[in-house]
Amino acid sequence: MLARPLPDYLVRRYHGWKATSYAENRSWYRRLAEEGQRPRAMVISCCDSRVHVTSIFGADQGEFFIHRNIANLVPPYEPDGNQHGTSAAVEYAVTTLRVAHLIIMGHSACGGVRGCYDMCEGNAPALEDKTSFVGRWMDLLRPGYADLPEGDEATRVAALEKAAVMTSLGNLMTFPFVKSAVEAEELTLHGCWNDISTGGLEVLDAETGVFHPV
Amino acid sequence: MLARPLPDYLVRRYHGWKATSYAENRSWYRRLAEEGQRPRAMVISCCDSRVHVTSIFGADQGEFFIHRNIANLVPPYEPDGNQHGTSAAVEYAVTTLRVAHLIIMGHSACGGVRGCYDMCEGNAPALEDKTSFVGRWMDLLRPGYADLPEGDEATRVAALEKAAVMTSLGNLMTFPFVKSAVEAEELTLHGCWNDISTGGLEVLDAETGVFHPV
Amino acid sequence: MLARPLPDYLVRRYHGWKATSYAENRSWYRRLAEEGQRPRAMVISCCDSRVHVTSIFGADQGEFFIHRNIANLVPPYEPDGNQHGTSAAVEYAVTTLRVAHLIIMGHSACGGVRGCYDMCEGNAPALEDKTSFVGRWMDLLRPGYADLPEGDEATRVAALEKAAVMTSLGNLMTFPFVKSAVEAEELTLHGCWNDISTGGLEVLDAETGVFHPV
Amino acid sequence: MLARPLPDYLVRRYHGWKATSYAENRSWYRRLAEEGQRPRAMVISCCDSRVHVTSIFGADQGEFFIHRNIANLVPPYEPDGNQHGTSAAVEYAVTTLRVAHLIIMGHSACGGVRGCYDMCEGNAPALEDKTSFVGRWMDLLRPGYADLPEGDEATRVAALEKAAVMTSLGNLMTFPFVKSAVEAEELTLHGCWNDISTGGLEVLDAETGVFHPV
């Protein structure tokens, strides 16, 4: 096992945080530690460094249970005894924490979605390789490619980003504990898409399948 | 597919963010969108709502590529053609984004680690079930239980939280592309543990296997 | 005197509000500041974090003069020269602001009412202590306990929550300035009860003493 | 007991809220009702219709335990067995709910503070009357008048509004349970002042006794 000391610039910033944000909220952090978290919502967003849902939604420590993976994808329910990190996160949020909202947050310029698009267009042989973890992960989105509208590439890629959100929402309902929580009105699902460049936020209207700016 | 409008309070806060943080940083966000992200580090942390590495490290949009899963675990390299979300995130960060640092951030009061501890103690039959995603995910940490020091439960659980960080670091080195990047000195690995209550941050000294406060 | 800086997350959200809601309503806020408030109604509701009459009634800045205390109670008229915060608020609303409506808003799952119920059942010795501010405050509701219907505990506690609304309305009429404003038809009184779980709203029919859903 | 049906315009707005905000948050409201509230902060603000701390701070149901009285005043600790509504609210927030923050929010153009100023200047004989609830309530702020700076009336009145915040903070520390929670770092106190006209927010720096814009 290899590990190195933390870079200085991060240590310095940490000390700054400790002396300011932490100090102003010490009592809240203590209580969160003692009584446990009780987040109102789970958010599944991309690992992308440009997407910070806590900033966008003004959330602080304790508010959101956040899972981040490539392209904010949820796989279908598959209780085969293997490791499913995303499914574990969803299970914990819904059955243990009993979050009231589950928000899938897609975004523009998503590298994972772009990779899926390129695979489907036949332009990404490396991603097709069985050993490509990104390729196999993005296979989850392949069905979304079939339904893309005609149009220029930018339009089709943005549509595939939104299809990723819809795919995740669809797959979520294959989990028995999600389905039953939704049907019992203990959980609501939400789909969003963030335009990094313009700061725009669009929300899915499930009746029409269209994302509308808020 | 089910989806509901976003709760009002999040929409209001979003508009507030758009008019302030976004507006002040529009040119940077545009450039991030046009030129793509170039994060300096990848961070793997827990989904827990009480852990915000961007706060702790004063990071802004574009700095950290962040994967969050239950208990900040990285599984071993297993290129079997199945979906491995964590491995996909690591692959993308190391081979495509070529991050310079990969930080595993553990934390106190981790529900996933606690579940693993209870399983190993024989006190969590529900987690042992084949269909428990959390249980199967936490199997990754079972080997860490064998090495726990004697002591009271709180000590042993905290030790298991740190073992989760070390397990992830160990597993990372089983990925050929991680190993070669580390050996080429293009990537450094780091292990940390955050005490939610005290705001403390401890960093792993790999030589001794001990976590020291920064 | 001790005071600490405001937590960051509230400062950020405030800046968001300033740049959006405030900015869109600047002229109205200026006028409210220059000409003074002229609220149409006073609302007396509980401090409970789950009860927001401005949300429920779509009210904006300037509409409601709002007093919030434990269990939305109004004490009887007692001009003894001591401090009576609730009576002061009622006096200001009725004699200076001359509001047209005075609404008492009760709610389900009220911790204060629950405390009173437990005292009356002999199960809350700590609240009986002379130094318990909550206990002494809830003494105001003790007479309501005598009239509770037979039934299970949930039914009786909900009945006591509604008795709190009726007690307040009864006590309001002991204030000479309230009585004369009501008799002059310059003021009307209203009693409501909000079910937090279902979002229900019931309004008191004074003729029958029954609360009906609107 | 007198009570009238709710005005139509409020009933209509309520139905609108029920069909929108409530519907989007039903699962959260249910959970709040079942598990109880766990607000992070208590806010004490004025009844004034122009001050909405939930708007200013982007807070939603469940976040703030809110007491509102004339001029956001907290009286000194006085466990004499009489009714003290403000003290009851503070006691419940600190000892039962164990809030992490207690925020006193003052504001400009405060009618209660103005009344106190006029009394102290000898210009408000009606408020001096023993039977004036507003007058007796505002007696709590009389000591603040002695320390006002020289200057024009507007300056002095604004200073008295800020003195109300400081008086409340000082009085809070006379409550044994507040003092011990602050000393145990389980509670932090904060003082603010909101300028209604400009939407400004100033926060008290307790070291200097000066309010600074955030």
Side-chain angles (χ1 to χ4, degrees), chain D residues 176-195:
Chain D
F177 47 82
V178 171
K179 187 161 185 288
S180 64
V182 167
E183 288 173 355
E185 299 191 325
E186 291 171 351
L187 174 68
T188 45
L189 308 183
H190 310 269
C192 302
W193 179 84
N194 172 222
D195 185 317

Side-chain angles (χ1 to χ4, degrees), chain C residues 1-7 9-11 13-15 17-18 22 26 29-30 32-42 46-52 54-70 75 77-89 91-92 101 103 108-112 127 130-137 139-140 166-167 169-170 173 175 177 182 188-192 194 196-201 203-206 209 214, chain D residues 1-7 9-11 13-15 17-18 22 26 29-30 32-42 46-52 54-70 75 77-89 91-92 101 103 108-112 127 130-137 139-140 166-167 169-170 173 175 177 182 188-192 194 196-201 203-206 209 214:
Chain C
M1 178 193 55
L2 277 168
R4 303 283 298 162
L6 214 53
Y9 80 105
L10 293 180
V11 173
R13 290 192 198 159
Y14 158 72
H15 285 305
W17 169 82
K18 181 93 187 302
Y22 173 75
R26 179 180 286 120
Y29 288 165
R30 281 188 177 167
L32 279 175
E34 281 166 26
E35 300 181 5
Q37 60 179 325
R38 199 174 79 170
R40 177 163 171 180
M42 176 183 195
C46 188
C47 301
D48 194 299
S49 63
R50 299 166 294 183
V51 180
H52 284 186
T54 50
S55 299
I56 289 175
F57 289 132
D60 203 56
Q61 259 80 350
E63 289 199 54
F64 288 161
F65 185 79
I66 301 174
H67 175 58
R68 295 179 70 168
N69 64 29
I70 300 282
Y77 181 67
E78 193 176 9
D80 57 7
N82 292 325
Q83 265 98 39
H84 296 282
T86 298
S87 303
E91 180 184 280
Y92 193 79
H101 305 281
I103 300 167
S108 65
C110 181
L127 287 174
K130 185 191 167 193
T131 66
S132 167
F133 293 113
V134 173
R136 299 298 61 67
W137 181 251
D139 283 346
L140 290 167
M166 292 188 283
T167 296
L169 289 168
M173 290 298 283
F175 287 74
F177 47 83
V182 168
T188 48
L189 308 184
H190 310 268
C192 302
N194 172 222
I196 289 171
S197 180
T198 66
L201 182 68
V203 177
L204 173 63
D205 176 341
V214 298
Chain D
M1 178 193 54
L2 276 168
R4 305 280 299 159
L6 215 51
Y9 81 106
L10 295 180
V11 173
R13 289 192 199 161
Y14 160 72
H15 285 305
W17 169 82
K18 183 91 187 302
Y22 173 76
R26 178 182 285 120
Y29 290 163
R30 278 181 163 193
L32 279 176
E34 280 166 29
E35 300 183 4
Q37 59 180 327
R38 196 172 86 166
R40 178 166 174 174
M42 177 183 194
C46 188
C47 302
D48 194 298
S49 63
R50 298 165 293 182
V51 180
H52 285 187
T54 50
S55 300
I56 288 176
F57 289 132
D60 202 57
Q61 259 81 349
E63 290 198 52
F64 290 160
F65 185 79
I66 301 175
H67 175 58
R68 296 179 68 167
N69 64 28
I70 300 282
Y77 181 68
E78 192 176 9
D80 56 8
N82 292 325
Q83 265 99 39
H84 296 280
T86 298
S87 304
E91 181 184 278
Y92 192 79
H101 306 280
I103 300 168
S108 66
C110 181
L127 288 174
K130 185 192 167 193
T131 65
S132 166
F133 293 111
V134 173
R136 300 298 61 68
W137 181 252
D139 283 346
L140 289 167
M166 293 187 283
T167 296
L169 289 167
M173 290 297 283
F175 288 75
F177 47 82
V182 167
T188 45
L189 308 183
H190 310 269
C192 302
N194 172 222
I196 288 170
S197 178
T198 66
L201 181 68
V203 176
L204 173 62
D205 177 341
V214 296

